[in-house]
Amino acid sequence: MIKTMKNSLKAGLAVLALAGLMTHGAAPALASAAKVELPARNWSFNGMFGTFDRGSLQRGLQVYQEVCAACHSLKLVAYRNLSAIGLNEDQIKKIAAEFEVQDGPNDEGEMYARPARPSDRFVAPFANDKAARASNNGALPPDLSLMTKARKGGADYLHALLTGYKETPPDGVKMGEGMQYNVYFPGNQIAMAPPLAEDAVEYADGTKATAEQLAADVSTFLTWAAEPELEDRKRMGVKVLLFLLVLTAMMYALKRQIWADQH
Amino acid sequence: MSSKFFENPIIKWVEYRLPIFSFIDHSVGSGYPTPKNLNYWWNFGSLAGVVLAIMVATGIVLAMSYTAHVDYAFESVERIMRDVNYGWLLRYIHMNGGSMFFILVYIHMFRGMYFGSYKEPRELLWIIGVLILLAMMATAFMGYVLPWGQMSFWGATVITNLFSAIPLVGDAIVTWLWGGFSVDNPTLNRFFSLHYLMPFVIFALVFVHLWALHVHKSNNPVGVDIKGPQDTIPFHPYYTIKDAFGLGVFMLFFMFFVFFAPNFFGEPDNYIKANSLVTPPHIVPEWYFLPFYAILRAVPDIWFISAKLGGVIAMFASILVLMLLPWLDRSKVRSARFRPVYRQLFWVFVLDCFILGWVGANSPDAVFHGIPFLWIGQTGTAYYFAHILIIIPLISILEKPKTPPESISAAVTQAAE
Ligand code: HEM
């Protein structure tokens, strides 16, 4: 009798723990039931042992620089951070030096422009949000530094968004002025023209630049930009869990031993 | 008092002047007699204590790199994530620690309800527990505002606005809370100050909680009083090792989220910097507030009380009413093991809390298989109060409980046979 109750309580614990998670996990799914399902991709950085594909990261950087950077800033990333995706110091200096930043005041009290240094953050394409809107029909291209964390679905969403344009909207859908139909964008009308087309970029490493490839690479790069700690985190996590597993097993053995005279 | 410490001359010297060693021994040592039959549901209090310590430790270090200003808060958190050594680890522990704290404390409370731990002579212990819950909620709410994301800002706006429902002085109170005419820099500053303060208030409350606990000792799964030394075992080493093992299991669970799903409990919108001009499509609180959020939104206009005021009253009442449990439940039998009817209804109540949480995560206008969430929320809210105010008192009088064992030791020998 007591045993079965114990068991039902144990099941209860599991239910409580799981349901607590599920109430949260299930809710967004329900809330977005009307929307289309995101295709889940098999990213190299998924899973407990996931790491970023270096080649993809560097290609993604190239896509960002040559395409997205015309409109989108990446304000939280510094040029020096690119060493983490495998660029060397000279490459980083070269990239930084292509941009100008305002510095000062100097000893004469004047502000002046200088080439960006590795310690500077990615220089934004527009001076401010107003200027960004003015160049984009009133729409604001958001900063991309945290994009994969700021949308449900993360990299899957980004990839789906970039490849989810339809030239002709479904029958009966009236498009707003300057809007594009996108299957995955909430509300389906997005002010960003399809940024990627086949061969939009000529990859330095010779990879064929299909639209699919471009989207996958830039999504990988932006996932790194949002979570530069991801690899360190997962690597440490595996060690921590292993350590805890051994420690807990030892605690259990000790517990059995200490309680032996009570059972 | 065991003499084992007193042979060491340094300990002897200190003990003579400040009897801290015997204090520890009486609190969590071999000098603290504990019921011999506690099961793993009795681990959650000490686990909550560990998480409280983790929260304070990580919080203090985070505060060294955090800037409480509307122009810098969001970026300063990202600096912690990117530029501070192991800043991401600190932040993810603190962030997920909040969720863990509530998981533990909710289980801890349900444990109390199942085994009747709130009953005589532990009424104050229970009431202090409810005060701890309120203090935790205030702390968590203000902490969530600090990163100054979209959900921080809009959550703060929605919740502080609730106080405007108070007749006559409501608007003045809201302005006073904000330190201005909207959630803005003064609000962020005071929330930071209070968020830093509250955990120490919780510490003090936990101290009193444990003080009260140690007077009559822990309740136990069969819910009968300790009758003599044969019913107890010393806390150390029996429960120190059991708590240590439980801590290991819990840390595995906790650290899994920290390292592999650190944003599982969060909202993506909070990685967008606060913007007072853009309202997010769904403003939802953190998961641990969802049942209360559902209750808040369930109440319609009643006579002269607006839905808003009614909702606020219901929400606070849903927590405060728990303080009355020791008197609403008139059954002399503590443990649900010997209360067949109460036991079933307890689980219905747990289910009701989950349903309320699920409703809280959805818009009240949304529909589930043709049933508006508003209705589900209203039914769930009505049942919540009915369970506590009507069902518990009624069954405590009408139910015929089974006879609990003579004593804890009798129960233990019975179970072993
Ligand atoms: C900061 C949060 C809290 C901490 C650190 C804490 C800590 C503890 C500890 C260490 C114990 C003894 C071990 C155990 O029975 O699990 C305990 C017992 C207890 N707590 Fe809490 N507690 C917290 C919150 C609460 C809340 C919110 C409630 C209920 C409203 C509550 C009600 C109780 C009761 C009734 C007992 C005695 C249980 C029994 O002996 O069966 N506690 N608490």
Side-chain angles (χ1 to χ4, degrees), chain A residues 35-84:
Chain A
K35 275 183 248 148
V36 273
E37 192 86 13
L38 287 177
R41 288 178 62 90
N42 191 12
W43 300 102
S44 64
F45 47 83
N46 279 355
M48 286 178 75
F49 300 98
T51 53
F52 290 114
D53 173 343
R54 286 291 177 285
S56 182
L57 278 179
Q58 296 188 10
R59 289 193 298 274
L61 168 66
Q62 198 185 341
V63 178
Y64 168 74
Q65 284 180 296
E66 292 179 23
V67 184
C68 323
C71 303
H72 292 279
S73 58
L74 195 66
K75 285 183 194 155
L76 297 174
V77 183
Y79 295 109
R80 67 178 163 80
N81 296 140
L82 294 175
S83 65

Side-chain angles (χ1 to χ4, degrees), chain B residues 16-202:
Chain B
Y16 183 67
R17 287 154 182 86
L18 176 74
I20 187 165
F21 294 99
S22 44
F23 176 76
I24 293 172
D25 191 55
H26 284 147
S27 307
V28 290
S30 51
Y32 180 54
T34 316
K36 63 205 295 189
N37 60 337
L38 299 187
N39 57 30
Y40 280 103
W41 294 111
W42 267 260
N43 279 51
F44 287 86
S46 76
L47 289 176
V50 172
V51 173
L52 178 60
I54 293 176
M55 294 304 280
V56 171
T58 50
I60 287 175
V61 186
L62 285 172
M64 293 176 187
S65 306
Y66 170 78
T67 309
H69 188 289
V70 290
D71 292 339
Y72 304 108
F74 188 84
E75 281 79 6
S76 78
V77 170
E78 278 306 314
R79 257 187 186 277
I80 293 171
M81 293 297 289
R82 290 157 192 267
D83 296 336
V84 173
N85 288 330
Y86 296 105
W88 57 266
L89 181 57
L90 280 173
R91 174 165 184 248
Y92 279 157
I93 291 177
H94 199 77
M95 214 168 101
N96 286 280
S99 286
M100 294 299 137
F101 207 174
F102 278 94
I103 292 176
L104 295 173
V105 165
Y106 285 151
I107 295 176
H108 188 68
M109 294 179 70
F110 280 129
R111 183 281 315 261
M113 293 181 79
Y114 187 88
F115 294 106
S117 298
Y118 50 79
K119 292 185 193 182
E120 205 264 342
R122 296 185 183 81
E123 301 94 324
L124 277 181
L125 175 60
W126 172 261
I127 289 173
I128 296 159
V130 179
L131 293 179
I132 291 174
L133 178 68
L134 287 169
M136 281 172 60
M137 291 178 146
T139 312
F141 166 66
M142 290 188 287
Y144 194 55
V145 178
L146 302 184
W148 208 242
Q150 273 288 67
M151 231 26 119
S152 300
F153 178 86
W154 288 99
T157 301
V158 169
I159 301 300
T160 48
N161 251 318
L162 294 177
F163 291 90
S164 70
I166 301 170
L168 305 176
V169 291
D171 287 325
I173 288 179
V174 174
T175 308
W176 177 74
L177 285 175
W178 285 340
F181 298 102
S182 65
V183 173
D184 207 335
N185 202 47
T187 327
L188 179 59
N189 266 296
R190 62 191 57 191
F191 278 19
F192 181 42
S193 167
L194 294 172
H195 181 70
Y196 208 138
L197 169 71
M198 286 304 287
F200 299 96
V201 174
I202 298 179

Side-chain angles (χ1 to χ4, degrees), chain A residues 28 31-38 142 147 150-154 156-158 160-162 164-165 173 175 179-192, chain B residues 268-269 272 279-282:
Chain A
S32 60
K35 275 183 248 148
V36 273
E37 192 86 13
L38 287 177
M147 189 50 75
R151 296 287 183 280
K152 286 196 173 101
D156 285 334
Y157 169 72
L158 199 58
L161 179 82
L162 293 173
Y165 285 92
V173 175
M175 298 302 293
M179 292 301 215
Q180 312 284 330
Y181 189 86
N182 190 301
V183 182
Y184 299 100
F185 188 68
N188 299 121
Q189 306 211 16
I190 186 166
M192 168 168 71
Chain B
D269 276 39
I272 304 169
T279 317
H282 301 286

Side-chain angles (χ1 to χ4, degrees), chain B residues 216-238:
Chain B
H216 293 285
K217 318 273 183 285
S218 287
N219 179 32
N220 65 83
V222 291
V224 297
D225 288 330
I226 297 171
K227 302 249 163 72
Q230 70 285 358
D231 289 340
T232 67
I233 45 178
F235 188 85
H236 180 73
Y238 292 103

Side-chain angles (χ1 to χ4, degrees), chain A residues 9 27 121 149 225 233 259 261, chain B residues 41 82-83 92 238 259 361:
Chain A
L9 272 188
R121 308 220 161 197
K149 284 169 101 175
R233 169 158 62 73
W259 279 76
D261 63 352
Chain B
W41 294 111
R82 290 157 192 267
D83 296 336
Y92 279 157
Y238 292 103
F259 288 103

